[in-house]
Amino acid sequence: MQTSSPAGRPGRPRNAAADTAILAATRQALVELGWSRLTLGDVATRAGVAKTTLYRRWSGKHELVVDAVAELFDELELPDRGSLAADTEGVVLQFAAILARPEAKSGLMAVVAESTRDDALRERIRTSIVERQKRLVLQGRTRAQARGELPPEADPEVAARTADLIFDMVAGAVVHRTLVSAEPADEEWVRGFTRVLLLGLAASA
């Protein structure tokens, strides 16, 4: 699991234990109170820290919730199931399970909606969640190349663009399925999605 790196003022002292407690308290508050009723004061009380401690680390609850949700996605791991298809199915199932958690669902939907009016918040979501999880695509591709399932890339720029596209396809499909359509991303759906992703529409038909 990667360590969250909440943004703060230059030169401030850091306390990793306090950061961990605050982010855990934020997720707990999201479960019990929901996005609209969550306040920094409640999070501070739950974490056992002064409210000023939160403001030294986060400018508001939007940024705090992004970092709290980002830690959930850091739990994602690419399983080694012996093939690219099986590995993909495994990580997509994990992703869907995280999105089904109430703290991830309410937190992510709220900050994404707010980011449509806040460029800085959109950038924080990109760097704290999206960019950190692109590692899974790179790991999967490297592993598949080692198995001989995928050829090596000749052009690094094309390889990077392809990795971005794959991430967008996976994340977009799973988020839409679970949060927008509110349908289960179960094993049957994940198997069908992976088949289309890896083989294309003609092959899957």
Side-chain angles (χ1 to χ4, degrees):
M1 175 174 167
Q2 297 181 1
T3 302
S4 177
S5 301
R9 296 170 184 160
R12 66 171 173 79
R14 293 299 303 277
N15 184 325
D19 286 348
T20 298
I22 291 166
L23 295 176
T26 302
R27 292 190 292 270
Q28 182 186 47
L30 282 168
V31 172
E32 296 180 9
L33 302 176
W35 162 261
S36 61
R37 294 171 56 200
L38 182 149
T39 66
L40 293 187
D42 179 78
V43 170
T45 299
R46 291 169 184 266
V49 300
K51 191 174 179 180
T52 53
T53 301
L54 272 72
Y55 280 111
R56 284 198 299 268
R57 289 161 166 76
W58 293 274
S59 59
K61 83 172 186 176
H62 299 137
E63 293 77 15
L64 173 61
V65 169
V66 169
D67 287 348
V69 171
E71 278 202 334
L72 295 178
F73 292 113
D74 284 341
E75 296 174 7
L76 286 168
E77 295 181 354
L78 184 69
D80 189 347
R81 293 180 164 190
S83 71
L84 177 59
D87 293 355
T88 302
E89 290 175 11
V91 76
V92 171
L93 284 168
Q94 289 178 51
F95 184 30
I98 289 174
L99 287 175
R101 294 168 63 168
E103 61 270 42
K105 185 184 302 183
S106 63
L108 187 61
M109 290 287 276
V111 295
V112 168
E114 188 65 27
S115 73
T116 62
R117 301 183 295 272
D118 187 334
D119 290 342
L121 181 60
R122 185 185 300 114
E123 178 65 12
R124 193 183 190 97
I125 293 171
R126 188 186 67 80
T127 57
S128 296
I129 298 177
V130 175
E131 292 300 326
R132 292 213 310 236
Q133 300 317 319
K134 284 183 180 178
R135 64 187 170 85
L136 299 167
V137 174
L138 301 178
Q139 290 172 7
R141 185 169 62 189
T142 299
R143 185 185 293 168
Q145 289 170 340
R147 290 179 182 138
E149 296 176 288
L150 291 176
E153 301 90 358
D155 187 331
E157 291 187 5
V158 173
R161 288 197 299 270
T162 301
D164 288 346
L165 178 60
I166 292 169
F167 181 88
D168 290 346
M169 293 170 67
V170 173
V174 179
V175 168
H176 186 276
R177 176 75 177 179
T178 57
L179 300 187
V180 179
S181 298
E183 296 288 345
D186 53 20
E187 290 190 8
E188 181 180 2
W189 182 87
V190 170
R191 191 176 304 114
F193 167 71
T194 301
R195 185 167 60 249
V196 173
L197 177 69
L198 299 183
L199 301 178
L201 291 174
S204 66

